Amino acid sequence: MQLPDEQFRAGHIPTELYQRCPPGTDPKSIVLVQEAPRSYKGPILLTLVITAGTVLILLVIAFVVQVIAASIIAVLSATCGLSYTLNRSSKRGSARPITKGRSPRRHPIRPRPRPARSKARRYK
């Protein structure tokens, strides 16, 4: 019996508690009540709820701001003639360069070479 818990379970009374007992107290009639071990379930659950709530609130705020911005752009374009366009980038992740007039060709068009005829077909 090394640990105090083992001593309590075995019914041994520590000397500090024995000295606090009033004189004439029967040591066999003393009942030791231990505090239950701390449960971390509540604080962990509370932390998860707070985190999820914060994320949910931020998502709602972002959605509301997006709706407000879209409605402002719609009202301004309808009343003032203001237009706003979003350019989506290509699949490669880079936007095409903006050029005036015709866009330059990347590969010039070359005529395809004619397939060679076999000797048997050449002289017919």
Side-chain angles (χ1 to χ4, degrees), residues 4-39:
D5 289 344
E6 293 174 354
Q7 292 176 355
F8 280 137
R9 278 188 235 120
H12 296 283
I13 300 172
T15 55
E16 324 63 70
L17 293 178
Y18 188 69
Q19 291 173 354
R20 288 187 197 170
C21 294
T25 306
D26 184 19
K28 294 179 183 176
S29 65
I30 296 176
V31 176
L32 298 175
V33 179
Q34 285 184 315
E35 188 176 343
R38 180 175 176 151
S39 172

Side-chain angles (χ1 to χ4, degrees), residues 98-103:
I98 299 172
T99 58
K100 292 183 180 179
R102 292 179 52 191
S103 61

Side-chain angles (χ1 to χ4, degrees), residues 7 33 41-42 57 60 67 72 77 84 93 106 112-113 115 123:
Q7 292 176 355
V33 179
K41 181 180 175 183
I57 288 173
V60 168
V67 169
I72 288 173
S77 66
Y84 183 74
R106 293 186 183 185
R112 292 184 182 174
Y123 299 110

